[in-house]
Amino acid sequence: MSNQTTSVNAVEVRNVYKNYNEVEALQDLSLDFPKGELTSLLGPSGCGKSTLLRLIAGLEDVTGGQIHIDGKDSTQLAPAKRKLAMVFQSYALYPHMSVRNNIAFPLKMAKLGRDKINSKVTAAAEVLNLTDYLERPSLERFDRLDSTQCNNLW
């Protein structure tokens, strides 16, 4: 049996749940994003808009439910294989830091160990295709990064 279906929707979210430990961020969410249509997610801070986008992009694991992209069950598909991108309103990058240090900053604030930080930064850079840019010394050099790479870094 194939996991490919015929669909008029570019993205279908079916009964998706996302939990962070005891916190239920999304509960039984189902949405369709029609092909060729512009869809906006609106809601107050903390309602799950960014969480949903990260799930669709594959940057976080779905706790339950399915996400179909172009009719294919993509719930377990690696982010790079989904051929999607996210655009944020602000890059929120630290201009005096390298790409590596921008990625590592929240991990340092969470007081993770150096080895753990290095492995997480390396893994994130590989998933987001930023490995070749990790040592860029500052945002003055980010003019050589395209908008997708800057958004991935954010």
Side-chain angles (χ1 to χ4, degrees):
M1 179 175 202
S2 172
N3 65 352
Q4 186 84 17
T5 61
T6 303
S7 176
V8 296
N9 297 309
V11 177
E12 297 175 1
V13 176
R14 292 289 169 257
N15 308 105
V16 166
Y17 289 80
K18 177 60 182 174
N19 297 341
Y20 297 99
N21 297 321
E22 302 300 315
V23 177
E24 197 167 60
L26 296 175
Q27 179 182 13
D28 198 23
L29 179 67
S30 293
L31 289 170
D32 291 334
F33 297 83
K35 287 182 183 175
E37 298 290 329
L38 176 64
T39 304
S40 298
L41 296 175
L42 303 173
S45 179
C47 74
K49 301 177 301 290
S50 294
T51 298
L52 175 61
L53 293 175
R54 287 192 304 271
L55 293 174
I56 292 169
L59 300 176
E60 293 194 28
D61 293 331
V62 172
T63 304
Q66 293 183 327
I67 295 173
H68 290 249
I69 300 171
D70 288 329
K72 179 182 178 190
D73 184 354
S74 302
T75 311
Q76 302 299 322
L77 199 62
K81 297 197 183 268
R82 294 181 188 214
K83 299 182 181 175
L84 296 175
M86 291 173 45
V87 178
F88 295 93
Q89 289 179 340
S90 170
Y91 298 137
L93 300 174
Y94 297 100
H96 62 287
M97 292 184 189
S98 67
V99 171
R100 176 182 300 282
N101 289 335
N102 267 277
I103 296 171
F105 185 74
L107 303 172
K108 289 178 184 175
M109 294 297 98
K111 299 189 185 314
L112 271 85
R114 181 171 293 180
D115 290 342
K116 187 74 165 174
I117 291 171
N118 286 337
S119 69
K120 285 185 171 284
V121 167
T122 299
E126 287 173 0
V127 165
L128 299 170
N129 296 319
L130 290 172
T131 304
D132 293 342
Y133 303 95
L134 283 175
E135 303 312 321
R136 292 258 170 116
S138 71
L139 280 181
E140 293 168 16
R141 303 243 195 185
F142 278 43
D143 59 340
R144 294 186 198 133
L145 294 178
D146 66 33
S147 60
T148 300
Q149 291 165 324
C150 284
N151 281 317
N152 283 341
L153 173 57
W154 185 84

